[in-house]
Amino acid sequence: PASPTSRVRASTMSSGATRDVGDAGAMTTVVVTTETATKTKTRGALGPYAIISIAYILYTLTDGAVRMLVLMHAYAKGFSAMEVAVMFTMYELCGAGTNLVAGVAGARFGIRATLASGLMLQVVGLGMLYAWDDAWDRTEAIIFVTCAQALCGIAKDLTKLGGKTVTKLVTPDEKQNALFKLVSAITGLKNSFKGVGYFIGAAMLSVSYEAALAVQLCLIAVALPFAIFGLDDNLGRVSKKNITLSAVFKQNYNMNILSLSRMFLFGSRDLWFEVPLPFFLRSAYGMGWPRSAVGALLAGYIIVYGQLQAWTPKLFLGPLNQDPPNKYAAVIWNLSLVIVPLFLGAFIQSDIFQDHPGATTAKIVVICVGVFVFAFLFAVNSAIHSYLVVKYADGNKVAITVGFYYMANAFGRLIGTIVSGALYSYTESIVDGFAACFWASSVFVIISTVLEMFIDDDKGGLLCGSISCIDDIEDDNRDKDDIEARTPK
């Protein structure tokens, strides 16, 4: 018959818990069993991770493409920057509202339901754009396209919820380095494919508007079966007591500060990137570039941004010993970002720029270099934010927390888009309007940086390689406690 000790050992192993059973050998066996169970659980979650990633990436191709389709098609029809910005307002506003509700929906109905719903709404939004009639007056066209973009905005954030949430679900809480790399990889890959979508949208528009839309619908048709048949209903669900709309606003302190900082960070980019940059590049009073060149530059920015984001842990933060990052890393990288819009705003309003109309070599080089330096610094900042949001998220309501965070992200894009359209359209000249967008961007970056300083996450201090720029407060306190413990009373 089994001894009492062996019976306790067997019971402990079956529960997967580590507790004192009065036998060192039993505790060792229990620890090994617990680690094995964790690894098995993680491997089992990799299937949904792969499925969601495939669907998310295919959707992202269409998201970038439809953005370029609407923007370039509207420019060709003579719509102003402000009118195009209005077309995108419901895309961003509905995205913000969707993030608010999607977190609750994902927690209650599961990630499969939100992902499939997002893909199907994208089909409806793309289908509506087929009906854009040149015979309509401006007001009718703006209202109709805005409604179609609203559906695409809802689709984007329903789909994004699955892509962002699954990284937390497949990574154990103690594996923070792995979580940072996983979040950076999927976010970077998504952004790279969005850049490819920008290029596809601009390139296909030279064939025909209808053919470009047909390609996007085919991509969604490929993604839908993965979402519908490849995921379990329970993935991402939490207990019903946590699923209330009020729970969305009951975030911890760090999440509230980070979300507000994120709003200004993404607003700083959309103040010049989404509408003013392509309009300025296309305009005869700006650079006078052809549609394909504009699409290539925007696509190049998004692709480079995405790849840099994916490699941020290994190439940038790792060598600086800032991996995984904390608030100090976020502040220092955000502060460095402000240099770019300040420089570009000053350059565009300088005599070198204004006294030489057209696309001179100096203008092209400076604008392109400035845009891609911004892409690099913005990618590092975005990767840090994407990691911190899942780090600070409560494990039992990660979908709700991620939804709240990206609601702030969407509001930032909305504010940036509207303000940029107004600055570009109503400033004295197109050149001055373009410069004003960069000045406003600088202000947003500074606000974002100041907000990050209030995050309560001092662990690790700040290292720059082997140099300690800011000491780890917890280590200092621990050293003081050790000294006091060794000091004779």
Side-chain angles (χ1 to χ4, degrees):
S3 67
T5 301
S6 64
R7 285 196 296 271
V8 172
R9 182 188 299 119
S11 174
T12 306
M13 289 175 63
S14 64
S15 65
T18 303
R19 54 180 181 266
D20 187 2
V21 295
D23 188 310
M27 289 191 67
T28 302
T29 306
V30 171
V31 172
V32 172
T33 304
T34 304
E35 291 177 352
T36 303
T38 300
K39 290 179 180 178
T40 301
K41 181 180 177 181
T42 302
R43 282 196 298 269
L46 289 178
Y49 173 75
I51 290 170
I52 291 173
S53 298
I54 291 170
Y56 187 33
I57 287 168
L58 288 171
Y59 165 81
T60 298
L61 283 168
T62 70
D63 185 45
V66 74
R67 192 91 176 180
M68 280 301 293
L69 280 174
V70 171
L71 195 150
M72 291 287 99
H73 195 59
Y75 180 87
K77 300 298 179 186
F79 289 89
S80 69
M82 189 63 211
E83 288 169 335
V84 173
V86 170
M87 290 179 183
F88 289 135
T89 55
M90 290 304 292
Y91 175 90
E92 303 296 355
L93 187 60
C94 287
T98 301
N99 274 304
L100 182 64
V101 178
V104 176
R108 174 168 292 181
F109 303 111
I111 293 174
R112 185 178 80 164
T114 56
L115 183 62
S117 299
L119 293 172
M120 287 187 280
L121 278 174
Q122 183 75 346
V123 171
V124 177
L126 290 169
M128 283 183 65
L129 290 175
Y130 268 109
W132 190 350
D133 193 338
D134 293 342
W136 294 340
D137 62 32
R138 284 179 177 269
T139 303
E140 290 175 332
I142 290 172
I143 293 173
F144 183 83
V145 175
T146 301
C147 291
Q149 286 289 283
L151 294 178
C152 292
I154 296 171
K156 179 194 73 173
D157 287 292
L158 283 173
T159 308
K160 180 191 287 184
L161 179 71
K164 296 297 183 180
T165 301
V166 74
T167 55
K168 180 78 170 181
L169 298 176
V170 302
T171 311
D173 290 337
E174 67 274 10
K175 300 288 188 179
Q176 292 300 310
N177 278 341
L179 179 60
F180 181 36
K181 291 173 183 176
L182 195 59
V183 170
S184 297
I186 190 170
T187 306
L189 196 61
K190 181 269 294 185
N191 283 320
S192 293
F193 275 93
K194 185 172 183 176
V196 175
Y198 267 71
F199 184 77
I200 291 173
M204 288 301 299
L205 195 56
S206 62
V207 177
S208 80
Y209 174 73
E210 291 75 16
L213 288 172
V215 170
Q216 312 321 311
L217 288 170
C218 289
L219 290 172
I220 297 296
V222 174
L224 259 174
F226 286 100
I228 295 174
F229 302 110
L231 298 175
D232 186 85
D233 278 342
N234 294 319
L235 184 66
R237 287 187 176 182
V238 300
S239 60
K240 289 188 177 180
K241 66 179 182 180
N242 291 323
I243 308 174
T244 61
L245 192 58
S246 61
V248 176
F249 296 99
K250 293 178 181 178
Q251 302 296 330
N252 60 58
Y253 171 81
N254 279 346
M255 186 59 64
N256 286 326
I257 298 297
L258 183 65
S259 298
L260 193 58
S261 174
R262 178 80 167 193
M263 184 181 78
F264 283 100
L265 177 65
F266 268 74
S268 73
R269 184 194 66 177
D270 283 20
L271 270 164
W272 60 269
F273 180 77
E274 289 291 348
V275 176
L277 179 63
F279 264 67
F280 187 77
L281 295 177
R282 284 283 286 148
S283 173
Y285 298 99
M287 303 295 284
W289 284 14
R291 182 190 299 141
S292 57
V294 175
L297 179 64
L298 297 182
Y301 172 95
I302 298 292
I303 292 170
V304 169
Y305 162 65
Q307 287 301 304
L308 289 170
Q309 204 171 14
W311 287 95
T312 288
K314 185 174 182 179
L315 294 184
F316 310 120
L317 299 187
L320 292 172
N321 289 324
Q322 296 173 5
D323 178 13
N326 59 7
K327 86 166 185 186
Y328 294 121
V331 168
I332 198 69
W333 283 98
N334 210 347
L335 188 61
S336 64
L337 179 65
V338 75
I339 297 171
V340 181
L342 281 175
F343 171 77
L344 287 174
F347 174 73
I348 291 168
Q349 288 195 309
S350 68
D351 292 339
I352 297 174
F353 193 97
Q354 303 224 14
D355 291 347
H356 299 84
T360 65
T361 302
K363 286 183 181 181
I364 294 172
V365 170
V366 172
I367 288 178
C368 288
V369 170
V371 164
F372 284 102
V373 171
F374 189 96
F376 158 61
L377 294 172
F378 194 81
V380 177
N381 277 284
S382 185
I384 292 173
H385 273 218
S386 293
Y387 161 73
L388 290 178
V389 66
V390 291
K391 176 187 177 183
Y392 299 149
D394 296 327
N396 66 333
K397 56 175 187 176
V398 61
I400 293 175
T401 303
V402 170
F404 173 81
Y405 175 76
Y406 282 100
M407 175 189 70
N409 186 96
F411 270 119
R413 292 173 59 94
L414 172 64
I415 294 169
T417 301
I418 291 296
V419 174
S420 71
L423 288 174
Y424 188 85
S425 298
Y426 302 127
T427 308
E428 185 176 351
S429 68
I430 286 177
V431 174
D432 288 337
F434 192 44
C437 292
F438 284 109
W439 294 123
S441 174
S442 303
V443 174
F444 271 48
V445 175
I446 292 171
I447 295 173
S448 176
T449 304
V450 171
L451 286 167
E452 287 175 340
M453 296 173 68
F454 291 94
I455 294 175
D456 184 15
D457 182 16
D458 300 329
K459 185 178 179 181
L462 178 66
L463 294 173
C464 295
S466 59
I467 301 172
S468 178
C469 301
I470 299 176
D471 292 332
D472 185 350
I473 295 176
E474 291 190 8
D475 282 348
D476 289 345
N477 292 337
R478 198 177 301 115
D479 291 340
K480 290 178 183 178
D481 292 341
D482 290 342
I483 292 172
E484 291 176 1
R486 290 195 299 268
T487 303
K489 301 295 184 184

